Amino acid sequence: MINSGSAKNIIVMAGAGISTDAGIPDFRSPGTGLYANLQKYRLPYPEAIFTIDYFRRKPKPFFVLAKELYPGQFVPTISHFFVKLLAKRGLLHRHYTQNIDCLERVAGVESDLIVEAHGSFHAAHCIGNKCRKEFPQDWVREKIFNDSIPHCDKCNSLVKPDITFFGEGLPARFFDLLEGDFASCDLLIVMGTSLQVHPFAALINEVQSTTPRLLINRERVGESKTRGMGFDFDGSFAGSMPHRDALVLGDCDEACLLLADRLGWTDELLGLRAAFIDKQKLEHI
């Protein structure tokens, strides 16, 4: 489809699986996932660290974890550079990500092409309901890396990176763009997500009924139980309609390398990553 020119408005949906090769753990993998390794924070339950009510009472665990996850410490993966390559070739309509790590931005994807469905570290605001003063990322980073809990200089409320916590609404940009984006999508690529968190998971149903969809993941997820809801890899609900869902089981980076090979883009993809690493080395000399 891509080589034939019939896919010109590609949407990528991505989860934590595209960042694990950068050294960032996903959330739900047994034993290795983030939620399975939070014992040191003595939380009442793992998700509390990203729950707004708990944060208001006990912000320190989040900021200790934020220091470990903060952008600038990780190199984007091949998957991130594949998204960048789609953008460079004018094929990326939008990149919807569940991730808060900003690695798409670091890889060079323009901000207008990104929808950070669960927010990110890119900006921060005071959480005071009557204040909401914005603070620059560098100011928040300095506070976090000095083991200081950031407070607003206007009202003294906590300052939190614009990550969407449990108990908060998703960013307005998510809802403003999704209807038009998915109506015009002609190829949906879903990578590295468990599709367990809504409303993000339901986005796979927002494309047209004939739009091809590709899942790249370590396991099968998001499959249909009824017609029109979820993936239908086996064509159980296709009827007379063309079978439109495809599945690649395995590592996201390996799958993106395979796709690049089939498209004749391997050198360009690897070149993007090599140029990024070379630039980083020069900056640290």
Side-chain angles (χ1 to χ4, degrees), residues 12 18 37 127 138 144 148 160 168 193 227:
V12 177
I18 74 166
N37 291 279
I127 67 170
D138 289 345
I144 290 174
S148 174
K160 179 178 77 65
E168 294 185 302
T193 172
R227 184 185 300 275

Side-chain angles (χ1 to χ4, degrees), residues 162-191:
D162 288 352
I163 296 165
T164 304
F165 278 22
F166 295 108
E168 294 185 302
L170 269 61
R173 178 173 169 79
F174 175 84
F175 297 103
D176 291 344
L177 293 177
L178 75 86
E179 184 175 353
D181 280 353
F182 282 80
S184 61
C185 173
D186 50 26
L187 174 61
L188 178 65
I189 301 175
V190 183
M191 298 197 291

Side-chain angles (χ1 to χ4, degrees), residues 70-237:
Y70 211 84
Q73 305 176 86
F74 305 98
V75 175
T77 67
I78 288 291
S79 301
H80 294 105
F81 286 109
F82 184 79
V83 176
K84 166 63 178 175
L85 185 51
L86 290 175
K88 181 183 176 186
R89 286 179 164 265
L91 299 173
L92 182 68
H93 184 69
R94 205 84 66 191
H95 177 66
Y96 281 73
T97 178
Q98 294 175 284
N99 300 334
I100 60 175
D101 52 39
C102 299
L103 285 179
E104 296 86 2
R105 294 174 183 268
V106 177
V109 180
E110 297 293 332
S111 59
D112 65 315
L113 292 174
I114 302 171
V115 175
E116 292 159 329
H118 297 162
S120 76
F121 284 100
H122 186 65
H125 285 81
C126 167
I127 67 170
N129 292 332
K130 295 182 179 180
C131 182
R132 298 294 298 164
K133 180 179 177 180
E134 184 172 358
F135 289 82
Q137 184 185 34
D138 289 345
W139 180 86
V140 177
R141 187 185 192 281
E142 183 179 358
K143 294 287 186 182
I144 290 174
F145 277 79
N146 286 328
D147 298 321
S148 174
I149 295 175
H151 285 84
C152 178
D153 58 7
K154 182 178 179 182
C155 73
N156 204 40
S157 295
L158 292 164
V159 174
K160 179 178 77 65
D162 288 352
I163 296 165
T164 304
F165 278 22
F166 295 108
E168 294 185 302
L170 269 61
R173 178 173 169 79
F174 175 84
F175 297 103
D176 291 344
L177 293 177
L178 75 86
E179 184 175 353
D181 280 353
F182 282 80
S184 61
C185 173
D186 50 26
L187 174 61
L188 178 65
I189 301 175
V190 183
M191 298 197 291
T193 172
S194 64
L195 291 178
Q196 291 185 17
V197 179
H198 289 265
F200 186 89
L203 293 181
I204 63 172
N205 301 314
E206 294 297 319
V207 295
Q208 301 292 331
S209 61
T210 55
T211 300
R213 304 180 298 187
L214 169 64
L215 173 68
I216 300 170
N217 206 46
R218 290 191 179 277
E219 57 188 5
R220 296 171 70 128
V221 296
E223 292 190 78
S224 301
K225 293 183 179 178
T226 58
R227 184 185 300 275
M229 298 297 292
F231 290 119
D232 183 18
F233 300 120
D234 302 320
S236 303
F237 300 104

Side-chain angles (χ1 to χ4, degrees), residues 245-278:
D245 291 334
L247 171 67
V248 176
L249 286 176
D251 177 78
C252 291
D253 279 6
E254 291 178 3
C256 286
L257 285 169
L258 177 62
L259 281 175
D261 179 63
R262 299 287 177 85
L263 292 163
W265 296 356
T266 300
D267 290 345
E268 193 173 0
L269 175 59
L270 296 177
L272 283 175
R273 190 170 189 273
F276 176 88
I277 292 172
D278 287 345

